[in-house]
């Protein structure tokens, strides 16, 4: 992908930071238009709304479908805002292009599916329109899968490409809805410096109170813009209400963000330190999950009157983990110290649950 072109609409290159905003879902014509009017007053230039909504389970709101495209068309006519939506298959692409949308994006579930990506790429190639397309990272943290999705579009002649970093799915309770794992988009930037990266703090955080801090963090890392979900009445939204904000709140957030004309290069010491900070946060999350499981094991042992410490099990863990660490280039003695400390804390938790001393 050596010839990626700048993101542009109607021949006009998008200025940075690129700000895209609008509701998670187009619900009614009035909701779509009212939100657009308020966003126009907030200074937003590109409007987003989901027309087709992939849901984890059947029975939820799956979008209004094609009628919503007419509402987006009306938004552009009335406000002058550029309009965009998510597409997941050939039929979506064809319908969106029929209504002459200005930009498309591809969701995390779709970017993880090579068959769907090829279908979308073929539809765009056959149309031949010079339309910018943004690709969200796949739900799982696989940079090669993300790049593969981009390559399918690029090979189909789509040169105005960008990506949306929306975080990666995790299991269990976390601070974020989708863990940012910043190192992955930063690695993508290292491989393809010309590729615009837009952050989606709404999906990363999953909570409206995290949007401002995540937005600033993304801009500090040199991201090219933000895509933020906003709704004229977010508490009554039909989908993802907790991560949507009003256009008025969006305006306050945007006014208080610090925009740096010259972002710190990824290779710089400051950038590397930010990556270290993020990795430390991830280590804390993982350790918290491990200790929660240790507590569950402690409860099981207590119920079944089992000893807290089982030396054979610990020995096996120690040996296998140290070998794995050494294979990954980590010093074995260092790994042994870490494992020993973790084991001691796990034993302490289980002893506290059992109410009796070590056995």
């Amino acid at each position: 992908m050596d010839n990626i072109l700048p993101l542009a609409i109607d021949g006009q290159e998008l200025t940075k930071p690129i700000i895209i905003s609008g509701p998670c879902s187009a619900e009614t014509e009035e909701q779509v238009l009212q939100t657009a009017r308020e966003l126009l007053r907030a200074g937003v230039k590109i409007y987003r709304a989901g027309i087709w909504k992939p849901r984890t389970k059947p029975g939820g709101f799956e979008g209004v479908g094609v009628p919503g495209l007419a509402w987006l068309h009306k938004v552009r006519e009335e406000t002058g805002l550029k309009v965009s939506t998510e597409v997941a298959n050939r039929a979506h692409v064809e319908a969106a292009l029929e209504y002459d949308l200005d930009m498309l994006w591809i969701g995390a579930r779709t970017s993880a599916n090579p068959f769907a990506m090829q279908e979308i790429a073929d539809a765009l190639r056959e149309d031949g329109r010079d339309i910018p397309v943004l690709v969200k990272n796949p739900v799982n943290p696989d940079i090669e899968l993300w790049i593969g999705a981009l390559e399918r579009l690029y090979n189909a002649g789509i040169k105005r490409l960008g990506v949306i970093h929306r975080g990666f799915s995790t299991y269990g309770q976390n601070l974020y809805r989708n863990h940012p794992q910043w190192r992955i988009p930063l690695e993508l930037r290292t491989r393809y410096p010309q590729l615009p990266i837009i952050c989606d703090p709404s999906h990363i955080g999953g909570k409206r109170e995290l949007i401002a801090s995540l937005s600033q963090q993304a801009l500090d890392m040199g991201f090219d813009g933000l895509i933020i979900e906003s709704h004229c009445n977010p508490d009554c939204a039909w989908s993802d209400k907790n991560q949507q904000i009003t256009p008025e709140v969006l305006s306050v957030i945007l006014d208080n963000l610090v925009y740096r004309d010259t972002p710190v290069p990824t290779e710089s010491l400051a950038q590397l330190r930010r990556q270290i900070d993020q990795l430390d946060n991830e280590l804390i999350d993982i350790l918290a999950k491990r200790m929660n499981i240790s507590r569950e094991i402690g409860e099981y042992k207590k119920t079944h009157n089992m000893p807290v410490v089982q030396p054979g099990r610990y020995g096996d863990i120690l040996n296998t983990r140290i070998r794995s660490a050494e294979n990954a280039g980590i010093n074995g003695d260092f790994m042994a110290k870490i494992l020993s400390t973790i084991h001691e804390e796990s034993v302490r938790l289980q002893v506290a649950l059992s109410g009796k001393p070590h056995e």
Side-chain angles (χ1 to χ4, degrees), residues 113-273:
N113 184 337
F115 294 110
M117 285 305 309
Q118 191 60 54
E119 180 179 317
I120 291 169
D122 290 342
L124 289 166
R125 175 180 52 77
E126 291 165 13
D127 180 88
R129 205 168 311 188
D130 184 23
I131 186 169
V133 181
L134 306 176
V135 181
K136 287 194 173 187
N137 60 262
V139 290
N140 52 312
D142 186 339
I143 191 171
E144 299 303 335
L145 194 59
W146 199 359
I147 292 172
L150 289 162
E151 287 179 342
R152 290 179 186 275
L153 294 169
Y154 184 83
N155 292 340
I158 309 303
K159 299 298 191 293
R160 299 196 188 278
L161 288 172
V163 298
I164 298 174
H165 174 227
R166 48 81 76 193
F168 302 90
S169 297
T170 57
Y171 183 76
Q173 297 296 318
N174 297 282
L175 171 62
Y176 306 107
R177 177 181 179 185
N178 295 291
H179 207 289
Q181 300 199 37
W182 299 105
R183 67 185 184 278
I184 296 178
L186 291 175
E187 181 181 344
L188 187 66
R189 165 136 294 170
T190 299
R191 295 201 203 181
Y192 302 99
Q194 77 279 26
L195 185 68
I197 302 180
I198 293 172
C199 182
D200 181 350
S202 303
H203 276 90
I204 290 175
K207 307 181 193 72
R208 59 187 64 148
E209 57 267 26
L210 294 177
I211 289 174
S213 60
L214 285 166
S215 296
Q216 186 63 64
Q217 190 169 1
L219 293 180
D220 287 347
M221 290 183 178
F223 282 28
D224 299 282
L226 304 166
I227 180 167
I228 299 174
E229 292 188 349
S230 58
H231 190 294
C232 57
N233 189 5
D235 288 333
C236 296
W238 296 1
S239 60
D240 288 346
K241 65 179 182 180
N242 292 331
Q243 66 188 45
Q244 298 190 67
I245 56 177
T246 64
E248 183 179 8
V249 170
L250 175 70
S251 180
V252 172
I253 290 174
L254 296 178
D255 286 344
N256 284 281
L257 289 174
V258 177
Y259 301 100
R260 309 187 193 283
D261 293 333
T262 306
V264 180
T266 304
E267 298 80 10
S268 73
L269 180 60
Q271 186 70 28
L272 293 172
R273 283 173 172 167

Side-chain angles (χ1 to χ4, degrees), residues 264-283:
V264 180
T266 304
E267 298 80 10
S268 73
L269 180 60
Q271 186 70 28
L272 293 172
R273 283 173 172 167
R274 278 195 288 270
Q275 292 184 54
I276 288 290
D277 291 343
Q278 184 60 38
L279 289 169
D280 286 345
N281 289 332
E282 292 178 21
L283 283 172

